[in-house]
């Protein structure tokens, strides 16, 4: 078994660690938990560092608990937030929990009979039946307001970062998270909490609660918040989060995200988001430095993460889709693209709407390119470029200006990809 702390250290995945954590892990198989916010029915890549920590933890022989914050998700964590979040109902939270578990099952072993098999827990299950009076008496009395006020996440909200201050609901968040740690310590033997560095204040409230209430000793370890070399926010694109669910981010777009990271970020992300060994990554860095133009770091990163989150078939399809723009022999690949990937690949190219019924009888290519659309300003220019071999329909060169485009040409029964010259693409939509 690998040493969990050593593994995370060389990968740059440790921000803060409570004294005694490494000794605890060396002593026995240890149970640890990491909380996941269930505000959506998919994880996004901002969650991936924490999920990778859980996977490393299990691979190193320890037992991971993934905690879906059904109760805390109903309140909202002030850490790193400038506004209070929308609250969710139980039905939505339960739906989100099941969706998240299906995604986590790609990373963690939930189903074997191994003693360190992963478990999914929901803090709503042990929080929903406790009364306010019981919570105040059994939990609240052990943690002083002075202790809670000193937390950085609370101070930031009180010192003007929040538009509307800090509600009592959010102020109690750290007590609820501390209650989670206490419950899992008592009922699951959980002695370690993992999380992002912004969770340190909440985590230490839990360890303090256990110490004061039961005299128990528990531990904490956080990973750094992932950043980009240019200071931009990791995991955000112009269209929002990069999701793990293909309904929200297609495998093609997911692959493209990793393929387009900077050289500086690619090396860091290979350590955090893949299971490549130190030696493999060092070899890739040497290869990259000898010929950066080939971008071996980004290509390997995109391959590893896309295959892990989606599948090898999705990775290969994404590579094939990426090559359509640059290949003149991509007719078959283009026809095999599903509609979402097709629209993702050609996002941003000019689009034209044409009555679908006109394709049923066949549209002369010159009419299609110069009358029904404005791919060319005139039929004369279109004819001249076709005769010069500079026009393609669905990546197939058109050599006859009298050609007719019929319904068989429609991709997914709806689209035509026109190409003028080497770099000018147009998407014609038959409606």
């Amino acid at each position: 078994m690998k040493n969990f702390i050593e593994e995370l250290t060389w990968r740059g995945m440790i921000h803060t660690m409570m004294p005694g954590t490494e000794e605890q892990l060396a002593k026995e198989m240890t149970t640890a938990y990491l909380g996941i916010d269930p505000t959506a029915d998919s994880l996004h890549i901002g969650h991936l560092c924490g999920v990778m920590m859980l996977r490393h933890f299990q691979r190193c022989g320890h037992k991971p608990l993934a905690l879906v914050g059904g109760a805390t998700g109903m309140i909202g964590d002030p850490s790193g937030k400038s506004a209070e979040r929308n609250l969710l109902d139980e039905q939505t939270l339960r739906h989100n929990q099941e969706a998240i578990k299906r995604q986590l099952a790609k990373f963690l072993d939930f189903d074997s009979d191994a003693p360190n098999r992963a478990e999914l827990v929901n803090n709503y299950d042990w929080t929903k039946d406790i009364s306010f009076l019981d919570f105040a008496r059994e939990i609240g009395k052990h943690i002083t307001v002075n202790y809670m006020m000193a937390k950085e996440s609370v101070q930031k909200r009180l010192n003007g970062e929040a538009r509307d201050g800090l509600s009592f609901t959010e102020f109690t968040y750290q007590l609820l998270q501390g209650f989670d740690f206490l419950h899992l310590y008592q009922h699951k033997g959980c002695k370690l909490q993992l999380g992002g560095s912004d969770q340190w204040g909440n985590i230490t409230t839990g360890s303090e609660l256990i110490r004061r209430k039961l005299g128990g000793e528990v531990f904490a370890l956080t990973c750094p918040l992932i950043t980009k070399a240019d200071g931009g926010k990791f995991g955000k694109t112009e269209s929002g989060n990069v999701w793990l669910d293909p309904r929200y981010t297609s495998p093609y777009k997911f692959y493209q995200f990793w393929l387009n990271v900077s050289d500086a970020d690619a090396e860091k992300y290979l350590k955090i988001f893949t299971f490549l060994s130190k030696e493999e990554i060092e070899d890739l860095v040497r290869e990259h430095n000898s010929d950066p133009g080939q971008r071996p770091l980004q290509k390997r990163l995109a391959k590893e993460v896309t295959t892990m989150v989606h599948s090898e078939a999705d990775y290969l399809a994404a590579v094939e889709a990426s090559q359509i723009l640059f290949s003149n022999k991509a007719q078959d690949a283009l026809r095999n693209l599903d509609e979402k990937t097709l629209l993702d690949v050609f996002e941003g190219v000019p689009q034209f709407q044409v009555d679908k019924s006109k394709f049923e009888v066949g549209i002369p290519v010159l009419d299609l390119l110069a009358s029904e659309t404005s791919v060319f300003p005139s039929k004369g220019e279109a004819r001249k470029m076709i005769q010069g071999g500079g026009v393609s329909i669905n990546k197939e060169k058109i050599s006859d200006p009298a050609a007719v485009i019929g319904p068989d040409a429609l991709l997914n029964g709806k689209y035509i990809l026109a190409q003028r010259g080497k770099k000018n693409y147009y998407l014609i939509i038959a409606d």
Side-chain angles (χ1 to χ4, degrees), residues 366 376 378-389 391 399 401-402:
L366 294 180
F376 286 92
S378 69
K379 290 183 182 180
E381 284 195 38
R383 180 183 291 106
K384 185 177 179 181
M385 194 167 238
I386 287 172
Q387 290 169 337
V391 176
S399 55

Side-chain angles (χ1 to χ4, degrees), residues 23 45 61-62 65 98 112 131 199 269 279 293-294 354 399 402:
E23 292 77 4
I45 59 173
H62 301 290
L65 305 176
E98 289 307 308
S112 78
S131 72
Q199 290 296 309
Y269 296 167
E279 293 72 28
Q294 292 299 313
V354 175
S399 55

Side-chain angles (χ1 to χ4, degrees), residues 62-82:
H62 301 290
K63 183 179 177 70
L65 305 176
L67 182 147
V68 173
T72 38
M74 288 182 164
I75 290 178
D77 177 8
S79 304
K81 309 292 191 305
S82 60

Side-chain angles (χ1 to χ4, degrees), residues 154-319:
V154 173
Q155 285 296 314
K156 282 185 175 180
R157 291 292 293 273
L158 291 176
N159 291 334
E161 287 195 12
R163 290 190 298 271
D164 302 314
L166 179 70
S167 70
F168 173 77
T169 307
E170 286 189 298
F171 183 57
T172 59
Y173 186 95
Q174 60 179 292
L175 279 184
L176 279 167
Q177 188 165 329
F179 181 44
D180 291 341
F181 205 173
L182 174 67
H183 178 89
L184 294 174
Y185 174 76
Q186 290 178 302
H187 296 273
K188 299 283 186 183
C190 180
K191 293 183 179 179
L192 174 63
Q193 186 176 166
L194 306 171
S197 58
D198 62 333
Q199 290 296 309
W200 185 253
N202 293 332
I203 294 172
T204 51
T205 297
S207 65
E208 185 68 8
L209 175 63
I210 291 167
R211 185 186 69 79
R212 293 184 185 185
K213 185 172 173 63
L214 302 174
E217 185 182 25
V218 292
F219 305 92
L221 187 154
T222 63
C223 62
L225 296 181
I226 309 304
T227 56
K228 288 164 61 176
D230 64 5
K233 189 167 184 180
F234 168 75
K236 290 281 189 181
T237 66
E238 288 182 10
S239 54
N241 285 323
V242 179
W243 299 94
L244 306 197
D245 191 314
R247 291 176 301 160
Y248 304 134
T249 300
S250 69
Y252 168 79
K253 273 200 166 178
F254 187 86
Y255 167 80
Q256 286 290 324
F257 172 83
W258 299 101
L259 191 65
N260 289 314
V261 302
S262 69
D263 290 358
D265 287 331
E267 181 180 351
K268 179 170 77 170
Y269 296 167
L270 274 167
K271 293 175 182 176
I272 296 171
F273 299 114
T274 79
F275 290 95
L276 297 181
S277 68
K278 191 175 185 179
E279 293 72 28
E280 287 175 297
I281 293 173
E282 287 171 350
D283 287 344
L284 279 166
V285 170
R286 279 192 289 271
E287 181 187 347
H288 188 95
N289 290 339
S290 66
D291 189 1
Q294 292 299 313
R295 308 178 82 241
L297 287 176
Q298 286 91 339
K299 288 177 181 176
R300 187 62 182 274
L301 174 67
K303 176 182 180 180
E304 293 291 325
V305 186
T306 305
T307 301
M308 175 176 67
V309 169
H310 295 290
S311 69
E312 185 176 11
D314 286 324
Y315 158 70
L316 293 172
V319 172

Side-chain angles (χ1 to χ4, degrees), residues 346-353 373-375 416-418 423-429:
F346 296 102
E347 183 179 35
V349 307
Q351 296 184 0
F352 301 101
Q353 306 273 346
T373 69
S374 53
V375 172
I416 296 282
L417 180 68
K423 296 181 178 179
N424 298 304
Y425 288 94
Y426 306 87
L427 196 61
I428 299 169
I429 303 170

